[in-house]
Amino acid sequence: MNLLVCYYKLNVMKFLKITILFFFLSSNVLASITFKQSSESLNSVTLGIRGINFNPDGTKMYITDSAGTETVIQYLLTKPYDISTATIVSTTPITEAGLPHAIEFKSDGTMMYVMDNQNKRVEQFTLSEAWNSATLSHDNFFAVTNETQIRGLAFKPDGTIMYVIGAQKEIIYQYPLTTPWDVSSADDETRVLSPDLTSDENDPRNIQFNSDGTIMYIGGSGGDEINKYTLSSAYDVSTAELSDTYSVSSKSGRMRGFVVVDNGSKIFITDDIDSDPENIIHEYGVNCSETITCSDPKNDKVVVGIAESQVELSKRAIKHVTLPVIHRMGWLRRHNQKDNLTNQNIKFNFSNEMMASVANVIKVSNKKITNSNKKNNDWFYWSEGQISIGEIDGSISSSAKEIDTQGITIGADKKISENKIFGYAIQLGKDNVDLDSSNALLNTHNYSLSLYGTLMDNEKTSSEGLIGVNVLDTEHIRIKNSNKLTAQKSGNQIFGSINLTKRLKKNRFNYNPNLKIDLGYTEFESYREKSTLSNDDSDALIFDRHEIITGLANIGMIIDNTFQFKNSTIKHNGRLDYIADFSPSSELKFSYVTDQSTDHNYVLGNVATHNYRIGYGFDFSTPTGWSIIVNYEKESTNGSGHSDDLYFAAGYVPNSKTEYALNLQGSDTITAGINIVKNIKNFDFKIDLENNLFDANNNKNAKIFLSKIF
């Protein structure tokens, strides 16, 4: 048998990064950000829209009204960060704040802060219900000196520093808080001042930071633009240097406030246009190439979990393909003296092209064994099903995973000589991974072909080898900001396994120390996520081609013995293995669809180098020819997860009186049946039982035939 394995490697062209800078005498560098949508007019609710903010998951929005009503308005968003889905939940007076502007919250949502432009104060409120502004009560305040037009407000994430910006002096005031999140503890004596921002923005409206405090943004109505600053020392405004300016003047006529949310991918701007007194919210999307704060996908646990899943899948695929074959060769060792080494009897008749091609490879003979003088060219047929359920714990950088694997392996082998057996196996399998409570799903179908052989040097020593190829087809689903991103990816795998076993007998037990080495090379082709929402690929990623090398060493012991139960034979075994994973690290590159020039590289190291497996199995054979083979194995990784694997086979070895066979036939509709032929008093009784596997009504058919040859 000749195997031809073709790998098609796409040469991915790398684009040169070209940045063109336009310099103007009257302005800074202008970069574009993408306008997404504007809210409907808010005139029915507010006459003087100012500050804006969201809760962390984007399901609540808050705005302040300064046109004589002094209120904070809370909205419910049925779709996170989608202002078109906003409905009013509450309108709450904040009489303590005259002309309220910027609005901020404590990180846990139990405190709210509003910039009081009229009284030149930062007002502090306690929320009896987190993130519900309707439950506010005034708590404290801080009076800002040396500034007559205070507008913007921000806090360091731990609440130890407060930032205030005004439109009189166009500088940022950085106040240490001796008590975190308590504005009354602001230390005016040790405040830090930013450089003069007048030349950048003469009417600042708010201040924002990225997640690590190395980037700061100032937006204002002086030019209806957002200015980006880099901070050489995190959260220290004295080190701020202007790096970019982003214009929003095409939509915003008079910026009143802004907020950067969702890991920097979205900007929302409040606007009350003088010429047309409407109160509007504008949404902008930020492309990574025009970074204000582009979210690094390496910081997304789900993205990292997907990358890790590709590596884990490559190892799991080798495991679930090789172990059934190893189980088969172990069964052959234990039953080497038998004439008929078939442990199943299956007939196939598929009209589906792929399944038919598989069936054509395995042509199971139903002829009865009439004597013990078997020829070396007789093939023996076998099959094994498998079910595996596992969990992998989450980490600081990666999400948790739940794994469900199923498969069936069908094989055929024959004796080349008394101590040599050669065979091949085909496996059809399914591997499903659920990441981070279904925020991502990876559903994989695999199709493998492997060749194997065993050499029994004597009754005590055997050597086994296997080589095969595997095709992996994966459906990829990821949920990000209520956006469903999908992709199809394919992978090719070549693998090999060597297993050395020694058989030592003591009393009634056989001790089988073994050494198993698994090697594999897996290649996943590059693929691109696509949004199920029209024209919204802001969160979509392109995953580059991923090459994975797998190396596993298994050292273990299998103990088995045989005993008779009435007229049946039970061969049971237990195992204990240590598995060392010496696979080298691999690198996966990905980029945003909206910024294909910026690569994000993630190195996937070997997390679980030490693994342990325990197992129990048995062969149960009856005098009538029925056999049941079951193996249960539990594999645990060192502190990071486990899997429970069940391998099973059931079949019938035909004899001179009775013949059983399992039938699988059909195309989209698969029919399973059992054929029983039994000779009684020279009469042949035949019973056909049929069951449609996909019939919801679970209808079954039975036929009985009686015949005799005279």
Side-chain angles (χ1 to χ4, degrees), residues 505-511 561:
K505 186 176 181 62
K506 187 174 182 180
N507 298 325
R508 296 185 300 108
F509 293 93
N510 297 306
Y511 298 86
N561 79 332

Side-chain angles (χ1 to χ4, degrees), residues 253 272-278:
D272 65 343
I273 305 172
D274 284 341
S275 60
D276 187 7
E278 291 184 343

Side-chain angles (χ1 to χ4, degrees), residues 425-474:
I426 293 176
Q427 185 188 73
L428 309 177
K430 183 172 68 174
D431 186 286
N432 298 331
V433 181
D434 187 335
L435 295 91
D436 195 35
S437 301
S438 299
N439 280 324
L441 300 171
L442 299 176
N443 301 321
T444 302
H445 289 83
N446 70 281
Y447 314 91
S448 72
L449 172 64
S450 54
L451 305 178
Y452 62 89
T454 179
L455 172 63
M456 290 167 279
D457 297 335
N458 49 56
E459 293 185 356
K460 297 182 178 180
T461 306
S462 64
S463 310
E464 300 161 352
L466 178 151
I467 188 171
V469 293
N470 201 6
V471 177
L472 306 166
D473 291 329
T474 300

Side-chain angles (χ1 to χ4, degrees), residues 689-702:
L689 303 175
E690 294 183 355
N691 180 31
N692 188 341
L693 297 181
F694 300 98
D695 187 357
N697 297 322
N698 200 27
N699 292 326
K700 299 179 175 65
N701 298 312

Side-chain angles (χ1 to χ4, degrees), residues 51 53 55 70 134 144 166 195 203 221 304 390 445 469 624 631 640 648 659:
N53 217 321
N55 71 335
E70 285 75 36
V144 179
D203 191 12
S221 59
V304 173
H445 289 83
V469 293
T624 60
N631 285 281
S640 62
F648 56 93
E659 181 181 347

Side-chain angles (χ1 to χ4, degrees), residues 510-631:
N510 297 306
Y511 298 86
N512 305 270
N514 64 89
L515 171 64
K516 181 171 176 279
I517 305 292
D518 294 326
L519 300 174
Y521 170 81
T522 308
E523 178 188 76
F524 288 99
E525 299 294 339
S526 63
Y527 63 97
R528 166 180 171 167
E529 293 179 327
K530 294 183 179 180
S531 172
T532 58
L533 303 177
S534 58
N535 301 320
D536 188 9
D537 283 335
S538 56
D539 298 313
L541 294 170
I542 297 175
F543 292 78
D544 205 354
R545 185 170 63 90
H546 190 193
E547 295 180 331
I548 305 164
I549 296 176
T550 301
L552 302 168
N554 184 114
I555 302 174
M557 174 70 73
I558 300 175
I559 302 175
D560 68 80
N561 79 332
T562 303
F563 66 92
Q564 297 295 129
F565 178 75
K566 294 183 178 180
N567 293 323
S568 300
T569 302
I570 299 179
K571 299 177 182 287
H572 61 110
N573 63 87
R575 70 182 306 147
L576 177 63
D577 299 309
Y578 165 72
I579 306 169
D581 190 341
F582 56 91
S583 307
S585 60
S586 63
E587 184 180 44
L588 179 59
K589 296 181 180 180
F590 31 77
S591 61
Y592 282 97
V593 171
T594 55
D595 180 25
Q596 300 182 32
S597 63
T598 303
D599 287 332
H600 302 271
N601 301 333
Y602 190 81
V603 178
L604 294 143
N606 198 351
V607 177
T609 55
H610 305 287
N611 309 273
Y612 307 91
R613 180 191 296 131
I614 60 173
Y616 171 76
F618 64 86
D619 305 346
F620 179 75
S621 302
T622 69
T624 60
W626 281 105
S627 63
I628 298 175
I629 305 167
V630 177
N631 285 281

Side-chain angles (χ1 to χ4, degrees), residues 274-445:
D274 284 341
S275 60
D276 187 7
E278 291 184 343
N279 293 273
I280 298 175
I281 302 173
H282 304 295
E283 178 191 350
Y284 288 82
V286 182
N287 295 338
C288 294
S289 58
E290 309 292 350
T291 302
I292 291 183
T293 305
C294 194
S295 171
D296 190 337
K298 297 194 300 292
N299 297 327
D300 189 324
K301 288 188 174 183
V302 173
V303 174
V304 173
I306 290 172
E308 291 178 348
S309 292
Q310 292 188 173
V311 176
E312 294 159 359
L313 173 62
S314 67
K315 299 175 183 179
R316 202 160 52 247
I318 294 175
K319 168 186 171 182
H320 288 304
V321 171
T322 60
L323 283 184
V325 177
I326 296 297
H327 293 158
R328 168 63 178 177
M329 289 189 284
W331 188 90
L332 291 174
R333 289 196 304 273
R334 296 191 294 271
H335 299 80
N336 186 41
Q337 301 304 315
K338 287 192 174 182
D339 296 318
N340 185 4
L341 297 178
T342 294
N343 69 3
Q344 61 87 44
N345 194 12
I346 301 180
K347 302 175 183 178
F348 300 96
N349 184 23
F350 294 123
S351 54
N352 178 278
E353 183 176 352
M354 174 177 288
M355 301 183 74
S357 63
V358 173
N360 288 333
V361 176
I362 301 179
K363 299 179 180 179
V364 178
S365 171
N366 290 315
K367 70 178 181 179
K368 303 169 185 176
I369 308 302
T370 58
N371 59 70
S372 61
N373 297 319
K374 293 197 55 63
K375 299 178 181 180
N376 288 339
N377 62 355
D378 285 336
W379 286 88
F380 308 110
Y381 306 96
W382 63 276
S383 63
E384 182 169 287
Q386 63 196 65
I387 299 174
S388 176
I389 300 174
E391 295 179 356
I392 299 177
D393 299 332
S395 65
I396 297 176
S397 59
S398 177
S399 59
K401 310 175 189 72
E402 295 181 359
I403 303 165
D404 180 9
T405 304
Q406 304 170 33
I408 182 171
T409 304
I410 304 168
D413 45 47
K414 70 175 181 177
K415 285 187 175 183
I416 300 176
S417 65
E418 187 64 26
N419 296 322
K420 296 179 182 178
I421 295 178
F422 165 83
Y424 57 88
I426 293 176
Q427 185 188 73
L428 309 177
K430 183 172 68 174
D431 186 286
N432 298 331
V433 181
D434 187 335
L435 295 91
D436 195 35
S437 301
S438 299
N439 280 324
L441 300 171
L442 299 176
N443 301 321
T444 302
H445 289 83

